[in-house]
């Protein structure tokens, strides 16, 4: 069972080799991968209002940006629990995901406490809270059911203010706990690698909205509105875009790794298997080739559909234009998929050694196998 201090490589190893029987994603080209995006709060429920920002508005803007990006992927289907400023009961949000037979449920929120110092991102999976802080966050988020009529009947007597009500959460969603933790780790890794926000990690707590879903589910706290600098970042278009991009890449990393058949088929060409590409390659960098031209074009995002970062190098008489950079092959797959979603349908992965020389993908992936 998931423990919050598991490393990402260990979670991946357990997932691939011990949990494949529980996969909810039918590995078939005919089935789209369904993601339900849930913007926390809404309507009469403003969420937290640290520094006079409204959580409900910021969460919705981030979610809509995530959905806009995900809709570009042909194998993905996006469903919103809300796409405007309306109040949706917690059980209705889960019901939307369950009825859609979704593969993922992703709920987006902003944190807030009675202290301006705390900062950073954290992603929750369902479980028994491990400390007082996690319980307080869950209590705060669950308190929105008080806006609902007959909430005590609807939620079987659940009292969001009573610690005793949370005792049974440790066995809820157990079937999907490791998958939820894997997604949460991918999201947190994207946050920490693309932004300077503090990584508060993957945690467990008793969130009602996660308890009611029947698929891998996470609740993302994108930062603290009560922190002056972080609140301003969350309220900015730039901040919302960066957070959305990180969530999108986290979702796609998850989608790629659970599609074990496709991953193994791709790797078989290079005589390696999925266990060989779980961890980062210390002496290899992967990038995505977008285009090659005899013309020398400025490698700026404006010239390449706002993809960042763009680099250029010359090989013989051609200039090659590359997107992204990572030491992890699975992350490279996600970057490639993103490029294709933006219209670069012929984009492919290229590799460079520690001195910057281009090498074949086979050579790159076998560096660890042969050592």
């Amino acid at each position: 069972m998931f423990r919050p201090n598991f490393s990402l490589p260990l979670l991946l190893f357990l997932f691939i080799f011990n949990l494949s029987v529980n996969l909810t994603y039918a590995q078939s080209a005919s089935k789209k991968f369904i993601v339900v995006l849930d913007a926390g709060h809404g309507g009469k429920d403003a969420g937290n209002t640290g520094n006079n920002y409204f959580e409900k508005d910021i969460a919705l803007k981030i979610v809509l940006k995530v959905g806009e990006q995900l809709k570009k992927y042909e194998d993905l289907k996006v469903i919103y629990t809300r796409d405007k400023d309306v109040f949706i009961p917690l059980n209705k949000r889960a019901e939307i995901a369950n009825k859609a037979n979704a593969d993922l449920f992703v709920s987006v929120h902003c944190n807030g406490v009675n202290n301006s110092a705390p900062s950073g991102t954290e992603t929750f999976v369902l479980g028994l809270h491990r400390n007082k802080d996690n319980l307080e966050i869950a209590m705060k988020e669950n308190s929105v059911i008080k806006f609902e009529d007959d909430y005590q009947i609807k939620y079987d007597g659940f009292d969001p203010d009573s610690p005793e009500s949370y005792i049974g959460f440790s066995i809820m969603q157990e079937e999907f706990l490791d998958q939820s933790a894997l997604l949460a780790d991918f999201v947190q890794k994207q946050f920490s690698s693309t932004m300077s926000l503090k990584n508060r990690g993957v945690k467990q707590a008793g969130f009602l909205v996660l308890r009611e879903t029947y698929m891998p589910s996470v609740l993302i706290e994108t930062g603290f509105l009560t922190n002056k600098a972080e609140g301003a970042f969350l309220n900015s278009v730039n901040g919302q875009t960066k957070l959305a991009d990180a969530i999108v890449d986290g979702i796609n990393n998850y989608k790629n790794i659970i599609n074990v058949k496709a991953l193994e088929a791709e790797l078989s060409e290079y005589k390696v298997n999925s266990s060989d590409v779980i961890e980062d390659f210390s002496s290899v960098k992967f990038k995505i080739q977008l285009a090659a031209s005899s013309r020398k074009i400025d490698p700026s995002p404006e010239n390449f559909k706002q993809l960042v970062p763009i680099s250029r190098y010359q090989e013989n008489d051609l200039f090659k234009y590359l997107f992204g950079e990572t030491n992890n092959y699975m992350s490279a797959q996600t970057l490639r998929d993103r490029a294709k979603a933006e219209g670069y349908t012929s984009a492919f992965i290229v590799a460079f050694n520690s001195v910057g020389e281009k090498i074949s993908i086979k050579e790159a992936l076998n560096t660890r196998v042969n050592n």
Side-chain angles (χ1 to χ4, degrees):
M1 181 181 292
F2 162 72
R3 293 293 181 268
N5 61 349
F6 270 15
S7 67
L8 181 58
L10 181 55
L11 275 172
L12 286 171
F13 180 85
L14 290 172
F15 186 85
I16 292 173
F17 295 103
N18 297 324
L19 301 173
S20 59
V21 294
N22 292 325
L23 294 181
T24 56
Y25 178 29
Q27 294 166 341
S28 166
S30 62
K31 182 189 182 300
K32 288 199 172 187
F33 188 89
I34 301 174
V35 180
V36 171
L37 299 175
D38 175 51
H41 309 280
K44 58 187 177 182
D45 172 21
N48 92 71
T49 56
N51 284 305
N52 295 316
Y53 300 122
F54 286 84
E55 179 183 1
K56 66 173 184 176
D57 295 333
I58 294 174
L60 179 59
K61 289 176 181 177
I62 294 172
V63 157
L64 292 177
K65 287 180 179 293
V66 172
E68 181 182 359
Q69 290 295 322
L70 290 179
K71 286 179 179 179
K72 296 177 181 178
Y73 294 79
E74 292 183 356
D75 61 341
L76 279 167
K77 179 180 179 180
V78 174
I79 297 173
Y80 300 107
T81 58
R82 70 179 182 98
D83 57 8
K84 55 187 175 183
D85 186 18
V86 293
F87 176 75
I88 307 291
L90 292 187
N91 67 324
K92 180 65 175 178
R93 296 168 188 258
E95 183 181 309
I96 291 170
N98 293 336
K99 283 187 175 180
N101 194 25
D103 297 288
L104 285 182
F105 178 84
V106 179
S107 189
V108 175
H109 293 253
C110 305
N111 232 329
V113 292
N114 295 322
N115 183 340
S116 62
S119 64
T121 65
E122 53 194 0
T123 301
F124 287 88
V125 299
L126 185 69
L128 189 62
H129 54 276
R130 304 287 177 179
N131 58 48
K132 181 181 177 183
D133 289 344
N134 291 2
L135 175 60
E136 289 178 350
I137 293 172
M139 284 181 165
K140 178 190 67 178
E141 297 293 359
N142 291 338
S143 68
V144 303
I145 66 174
K146 295 178 181 179
F147 287 103
E148 304 177 29
D149 296 330
D150 301 322
Y151 74 85
Q152 289 179 317
I153 297 174
K154 189 184 300 182
Y155 297 100
D156 299 321
F158 179 84
D159 180 359
D161 299 323
S162 170
E164 288 74 21
S165 286
Y166 293 82
I167 293 174
F169 277 60
S170 59
I171 60 172
M172 299 291 185
Q173 266 238 335
E174 188 169 327
E175 180 182 358
F176 306 110
L177 195 52
D178 290 281
Q179 291 154 268
S180 299
L182 183 64
L183 171 62
D185 257 317
F186 276 132
V187 170
Q188 283 299 125
K189 185 177 181 181
Q190 287 298 322
F191 283 152
S192 61
S193 65
T194 59
M195 288 171 281
S196 58
L197 300 177
K198 178 182 178 181
N199 183 355
R200 299 172 65 90
V202 176
K203 302 179 179 181
Q204 289 181 276
F207 291 98
L208 267 177
V209 71
L210 301 185
R211 187 189 76 171
E212 302 291 321
T213 58
Y214 304 136
M215 71 285 302
S217 304
V218 298
L219 187 146
I220 302 169
E221 295 282 5
T222 53
F224 285 77
L225 294 179
T226 44
N227 179 288
K228 186 175 181 180
E230 199 159 276
F233 177 77
L234 290 167
N235 194 53
S236 69
V237 173
N238 178 55
Q240 292 160 10
T241 300
K242 286 185 175 180
L243 288 162
D245 286 346
I247 293 170
V248 168
D249 286 345
I251 290 171
N252 276 300
N253 276 340
Y254 173 88
K255 177 175 68 71
N256 284 338
I257 190 60
I258 70 164
N259 197 349
V260 178
K261 282 187 178 179
L263 177 62
E264 291 288 0
E266 179 175 332
L267 294 176
S268 65
E269 176 185 348
Y270 307 118
K271 309 301 182 185
V272 296
N273 56 48
S274 53
S275 63
D276 298 318
V277 299
I278 288 174
E279 298 188 52
D280 291 351
F281 289 79
S282 59
S283 60
V284 176
K285 291 189 183 299
F286 299 101
K287 299 185 180 185
I288 311 304
Q289 183 166 318
L290 302 177
S293 173
S294 57
R295 293 172 50 221
K296 189 175 183 180
I297 303 171
D298 180 31
S300 62
E302 292 74 18
N303 290 330
F304 294 91
K305 302 186 178 181
Q306 301 302 319
L307 291 173
V308 178
I310 298 294
S311 57
R312 178 188 64 208
Y313 79 102
Q314 187 171 359
E315 189 174 54
N316 300 321
D317 296 329
L318 291 176
F319 293 99
K320 306 288 182 72
Y321 298 91
L322 310 175
F323 159 56
E325 181 178 302
T326 178
N327 296 106
N328 187 281
Y329 185 73
M330 289 183 294
S331 293
Q333 288 181 311
T334 297
L335 291 172
R336 178 194 61 197
D337 293 347
R338 185 175 168 194
K340 289 186 174 183
E342 290 294 342
Y344 293 99
T345 56
S346 299
F348 58 93
I349 301 172
V350 292
F352 297 86
N353 62 20
S354 57
V355 295
E357 298 171 334
K358 185 179 177 182
I359 58 177
S360 70
I361 297 297
K362 183 176 182 179
E363 181 181 350
L365 296 183
N366 278 277
T367 54
R368 184 181 294 122
V369 176
N370 294 331
N371 287 338

